Amino acid sequence: MNSILRIVIILMIVLTRLNTACAQHDPDSVDLKISRAEGSDKLEALMDAAKLYQQTSLKLALKYADQRYEIAKSLSSPVAVAENYNLYGNLYFNSGLTSQAEEYYLKAYAIYDSLDHFEGLSTECHNLALVYHSRKDTLTSLKFYNES
């Protein structure tokens, strides 16, 4: 009897945690978190939401990335725009769409280059190296890895 009670308690704990994890992936709860956020917190919440859905729904991830992009543009922050291009690149790359990923990584690279933003440049070089590596273009991949 004692062991059955332990099993029931363990199952309740597991199910409670599973329910909590699922709620965090619920678009309504994500949208609520975003609607309550302001300023840079909203940019971060939208980035988190896009990353959350990148493996399960490109369409939903792009929805959040698009919202973030509009805010980044309205802030006239080239770094925030470049971060968004990087986000787009990651979403497309993780979906196997390397041509689109390359396009956005190059846009981010151009912005970071114009700002002498070395951390951003390093990230984009790394990402571009991954794109070329996935295409089996070893020389171009190595070029970007060396630049990063």
Side-chain angles (χ1 to χ4, degrees):
M1 183 72 164
N2 201 10
S3 63
I4 292 174
L5 183 59
R6 285 183 183 166
I7 292 172
V8 169
I9 291 172
I10 291 171
L11 277 174
M12 288 175 53
I13 292 170
V14 168
L15 290 175
T16 302
R17 289 189 179 177
L18 182 62
N19 188 35
T20 303
C22 289
Q24 291 173 349
H25 287 77
D26 176 30
D28 291 336
S29 66
V30 171
D31 286 337
L32 182 62
K33 179 182 175 187
I34 292 167
S35 69
R36 291 180 176 167
E38 295 180 15
S40 64
D41 290 338
K42 189 168 201 123
L43 285 176
E44 185 177 331
L46 288 164
M47 175 79 79
D48 291 344
K51 289 178 180 179
L52 178 68
Y53 289 103
Q54 73 180 341
Q55 300 298 328
T56 57
S57 173
L58 177 60
K59 182 178 179 180
L60 195 51
L62 287 171
K63 171 191 148 189
Y64 292 116
D66 290 342
Q67 290 176 27
R68 187 184 188 285
Y69 178 70
E70 291 304 318
I71 294 170
K73 278 193 333 186
S74 73
L75 296 174
S76 298
S77 169
V79 171
V81 171
E83 290 170 346
N84 224 86
Y85 287 149
N86 181 68
L87 175 60
Y88 282 128
N90 290 342
L91 296 176
Y92 286 121
F93 184 81
N94 289 328
S95 295
L97 303 169
T98 57
S99 293
Q100 290 92 330
E102 176 187 24
E103 175 186 339
Y104 283 103
Y105 290 148
L106 287 171
K107 287 181 178 186
Y109 179 95
I111 292 171
Y112 288 134
D113 190 36
S114 71
L115 299 171
D116 288 332
H117 190 285
F118 300 114
E119 183 179 345
L121 280 170
S122 179
T123 297
E124 298 318 320
C125 285
H126 172 77
N127 290 339
L128 286 162
L130 289 173
V131 167
Y132 292 111
H133 175 74
S134 74
R135 294 178 182 165
K136 310 263 189 271
D137 184 349
T138 306
L139 291 178
T140 307
S141 179
L142 286 172
K143 173 192 156 216
F144 279 105
Y145 274 127
N146 285 333
E147 188 177 338
S148 71

